[in-house]
Amino acid sequence: DTGVSQDPRHKITKRGQNVTFRCDPISEHNRLYWYRQTLGQGPEFLTYFQNEAQLEKSRLLSDRFSAERPKGSFSTLEIQRTEQGDSAMYLCASSSYDQETQYFGPGTRLLVL
Amino acid sequence: QKEVEQDPGPLSVPEGAIVSLNCTYSNSAFQYFMWYRQYSRKGPELLMYTYSSGNKEDGRFTAQVDKSSKYISLFIRDSQPSDSATYLCAMSRMDSSYKLIFGSGTRLLVRP
């Protein structure tokens, strides 16, 4: 068990480009969460998967954002037509069905120029 | 008003001091309370977890939850320079997918 992993760790892109991030949760964790963290703030919830089903999305998740978790294992978060305001740390967390605690990955730091 | 309020600090203490970190919250429906430690440019690391009111101790760390006052605390005894980090309180509810609502974090600096 190597913990939650995220890829890439850093991404620099130009405004208007699309980006995709990947999260690999702890094996056998069926709950997966995406959060976004800006400088000086705590993480903010974006979306939640239980197995392959996306059960909740925050109002922060505009229609430019889409997340998937095919087969209930890894997850991807795609941002289309990036804007400078999308610059942030994108964090993935996972937990098992009988746990209330979440374990975070190292995050993907996005910079939109 | 944010659901979870946390003093951003920074809080600077000498090595060996007892550190007290606090959060207040407005939603009485929160059931689960956590403290995470986050080093610069890293992901949050779970430190302590408490269900409902009460105290929990783990080594140098003690977490307290007072649901009647909507107030949670984290105490660090014999603080070390390696404890220098941002401490985030977080809370969740079973009927809300257990999604975490975070405070803004308190920056702690432990001076050697």
Side-chain angles (χ1 to χ4, degrees):
Chain A
D1 183 353
T2 57
V4 179
S5 61
Q6 293 187 244
D7 184 69
R9 296 292 306 278
H10 305 275
K11 179 71 177 179
I12 300 174
T13 191
K14 293 182 180 178
R15 189 175 51 189
Q17 297 295 304
N18 299 343
V19 294
T20 300
F21 308 142
R22 177 180 170 123
C23 169
D24 286 89
I26 294 171
S27 59
E28 300 181 357
H29 276 192
N30 62 340
R31 291 183 176 149
L32 187 146
Y33 301 80
W34 285 98
Y35 294 84
R36 180 171 68 188
Q37 186 177 25
T38 54
L39 197 63
Q41 300 298 314
E44 293 178 293
F45 169 77
L46 292 178
T47 191
Y48 160 62
F49 289 86
Q50 183 168 305
N51 299 313
E52 67 276 7
Q54 187 175 21
L55 297 184
E56 188 171 346
K57 292 193 292 187
S58 164
R59 284 171 290 181
L60 292 175
L61 213 65
S62 76
D63 56 5
R64 296 185 297 106
F65 288 71
S66 63
E68 293 183 340
R69 193 183 182 196
K71 302 178 184 178
S73 55
F74 71 92
S75 176
T76 58
L77 178 68
E78 180 182 17
I79 309 175
Q80 295 183 328
R81 306 180 302 281
T82 52
E83 302 173 356
Q84 288 184 326
D86 297 332
S87 296
M89 171 87 95
Y90 289 84
L91 292 160
C92 176
S94 71
S95 68
S96 65
Y97 182 75
D98 58 350
Q99 283 182 329
E100 296 81 30
T101 52
Q102 296 176 26
Y103 298 88
F104 282 81
T108 294
R109 185 170 294 275
L110 172 67
L111 178 61
V112 181
L113 301 175
Chain B
Q1 184 186 3
K2 290 185 175 182
E3 277 191 282
V4 180
E5 298 279 358
Q6 185 174 8
D7 188 329
L11 179 62
S12 180
V13 301
E15 183 176 354
I18 296 174
V19 175
S20 172
L21 304 167
N22 311 293
C23 287
T24 59
Y25 61 96
S26 56
N27 189 341
S28 59
F30 286 129
Q31 300 163 290
Y32 308 100
F33 303 90
M34 281 141 276
W35 286 94
Y36 285 84
R37 178 173 62 194
Q38 187 174 31
Y39 292 111
S40 181
R41 299 180 177 272
K42 304 289 186 184
E45 171 194 9
L46 180 66
L47 273 180
M48 299 289 285
Y49 158 68
T50 309
Y51 169 65
S52 194
S53 284
N55 293 0
K56 186 171 184 179
E57 186 174 324
D58 184 1
R60 296 185 295 113
F61 299 91
T62 300
Q64 290 184 350
V65 174
D66 182 349
K67 291 194 71 177
S68 62
S69 301
K70 300 192 187 70
Y71 187 88
I72 70 171
S73 301
L74 177 71
F75 298 94
I76 307 174
R77 291 182 297 280
D78 187 25
S79 56
Q80 302 295 310
S82 58
D83 294 328
S84 298
T86 296
Y87 289 80
L88 296 155
C89 64
M91 42 203 81
S92 65
R93 298 156 37 192
M94 180 177 67
D95 63 351
S96 188
S97 307
Y98 297 103
K99 64 176 180 282
L100 296 175
I101 308 301
F102 282 87
S104 57
T106 300
R107 282 179 51 210
L108 172 66
L109 174 64
V110 181
R111 307 185 306 272

